[in-house]
Amino acid sequence: MFAHNKRLQYTVRVSESNPGLANLMLEQFGGPQGELAAACRYFTQALGEDDPGRKDMLFDIATEELSHLEVIGTIVAMLNKGAKGRLAEGVESEAEIYRSITGAGNDSHLTQVLYGGGPPLVNSAGVPWTAAYIDTIGEPTADLRSNIAAEARAKIVYERLINLTDDPGVKEALGFLMTREIAHQKSFEKALYSMETNFPPGKLPGDARFTNVYFNMSQGEPEKRGPWNQGEQWQFVSDREQQMAVDGGSGEGSVQLTTPEVAVVEKMAMRTASDPNSDPVTGAELKPGKEGGSGTVADGAPAKPAAS
């Protein structure tokens, strides 16, 4: 059960209308790293979570993300308010109001201003929000890692938004939202590492022959080594021959077919076989003749007659 409180989690103070900035803010409203995506991700994870501690944490953070969605949406509406009023009352000429709204590369947001200036569920490019942003897999060791990454990405977006405005009230509110991403990331990390068995994700162990092998498949300078591919826990494989058929097999695919399947596959192969000794003339080699009837090859030689 939800109950809404009309007071924002953080006070929003916007110094002046700015529809261009409002457009950029939509990235955290209806974008893949935005607050709605985060709220839906954590809420659905909480519904399927069996551990009471993680379930409580996920519900808490999911609900807070909805409050952040409200903060961002309020900022968007306030930044649009002046343009919305000017457009609704027709106080400027058509070209003047259009230039002022689109002057900041704001074309994708113009329609939203026309439809009332409220925050639409789109990203800053006008792409509608989609549940495809939710990458929950139903395994806490994987989902918590995804949540940590999601909070990190959201923090980076907030940093960039802060760098795009000189409005002190907007910067302050964005700084709060960015800071809460850090707090959530800490909670998710603590929850992950409180699980004694958390790596590798899931239940099944990896194949011991390949778990600690690093294949150096992108060869050439610069060739860098570090804890990700060197040390006692790594077997570094650089030899090309050793990177193929590592299971000890031939490295070629095979399939077992029934006798009837073999017959039809062979028949299909014969029907679709290419003649390696042929040299057919293609349309790209032909030039239209003067009368538009026959053609010649690109080098001027006569075209080969078609096979009868």
Side-chain angles (χ1 to χ4, degrees):
M1 182 187 73
F2 288 88
H4 179 259
N5 188 312
K6 294 182 177 61
R7 297 178 65 186
L8 298 173
Q9 186 185 20
Y10 195 89
T11 305
V12 174
R13 304 176 181 86
V14 176
S15 298
E16 59 182 0
S17 63
N18 187 337
L21 182 59
N23 185 65
L24 296 173
M25 293 291 171
L26 286 175
E27 195 64 32
Q28 288 303 89
F29 193 78
Q33 322 304 335
E35 302 295 353
L36 180 61
C40 291
R41 180 185 293 113
Y42 307 150
F43 184 75
T44 52
Q45 287 177 15
L47 291 174
E49 180 59 70
D50 294 316
D51 181 86
R54 291 196 299 270
K55 191 180 191 76
D56 182 52
M57 174 194 69
L58 287 164
F59 272 135
D60 283 337
I61 296 179
T63 306
E64 184 179 356
E65 300 291 13
L66 287 175
S67 75
H68 294 174
L69 183 72
E70 186 178 26
V71 171
I72 282 290
T74 300
I75 293 174
V76 171
M78 289 182 172
L79 288 170
N80 278 334
K81 194 171 290 291
K84 174 184 175 181
R86 285 153 46 210
L87 190 62
E89 297 304 313
V91 297
E92 300 174 42
S93 64
E94 296 88 342
E96 179 73 23
I97 186 66
Y98 182 82
R99 279 195 297 268
S100 67
I101 294 176
T102 61
N106 194 33
D107 291 340
S108 67
H109 193 51
L110 180 61
T111 302
Q112 305 307 327
V113 175
L114 289 174
Y115 280 86
L121 284 175
V122 299
N123 68 5
S124 59
V127 178
W129 187 90
T130 169
Y133 296 153
I134 312 304
D135 54 6
T136 297
I137 199 65
E139 163 58 49
T141 57
D143 287 339
L144 286 170
R145 285 184 167 86
S146 178
N147 296 351
I148 292 166
E151 295 293 325
R153 291 192 297 268
K155 178 183 183 293
I156 297 302
V157 175
Y158 277 126
E159 285 188 13
R160 292 170 180 172
L161 288 173
I162 290 170
N163 290 335
L164 288 171
T165 179
D166 58 1
D167 188 314
V170 173
K171 291 173 80 76
E172 187 178 304
L174 293 178
F176 167 76
L177 296 174
M178 181 199 73
T179 302
R180 294 306 297 161
E181 308 294 348
I182 299 171
H184 295 166
Q185 183 172 340
K186 286 172 59 179
S187 292
F188 289 138
E189 286 203 50
K190 291 291 186 181
L192 173 64
Y193 293 114
S194 68
M195 302 170 63
E196 184 175 347
T197 303
N198 65 67
F199 188 84
K203 180 180 178 181
L204 295 178
D207 189 326
R209 296 176 298 169
F210 312 121
T211 301
N212 300 318
V213 177
Y214 185 93
F215 291 112
N216 182 35
M217 289 189 166
S218 176
Q219 299 181 357
E221 295 300 329
E223 198 74 65
K224 297 295 183 182
R225 302 290 300 274
W228 54 88
N229 63 12
Q230 72 178 3
E232 295 182 359
Q233 64 176 315
W234 288 110
Q235 177 190 350
F236 187 83
V237 178
S238 186
D239 188 292
R240 291 289 188 184
E241 292 296 322
Q242 295 179 17
Q243 295 176 1
M244 296 181 288
V246 296
D247 60 320
S250 67
E252 299 177 354
S254 62
V255 59
Q256 295 292 326
L257 300 177
T258 65
T259 300
E261 287 174 332
V262 170
V264 295
V265 167
E266 290 179 348
K267 184 177 181 180
M268 180 187 68
M270 291 179 63
R271 179 175 59 82
T272 59
S274 296
D275 181 1
N277 298 314
S278 67
D279 186 19
V281 177
T282 67
E285 297 173 298
L286 296 176
K287 291 181 178 179
K290 290 182 178 180
E291 304 300 325
S294 60
T296 58
V297 295
D299 60 2
K304 297 178 184 178
S308 60

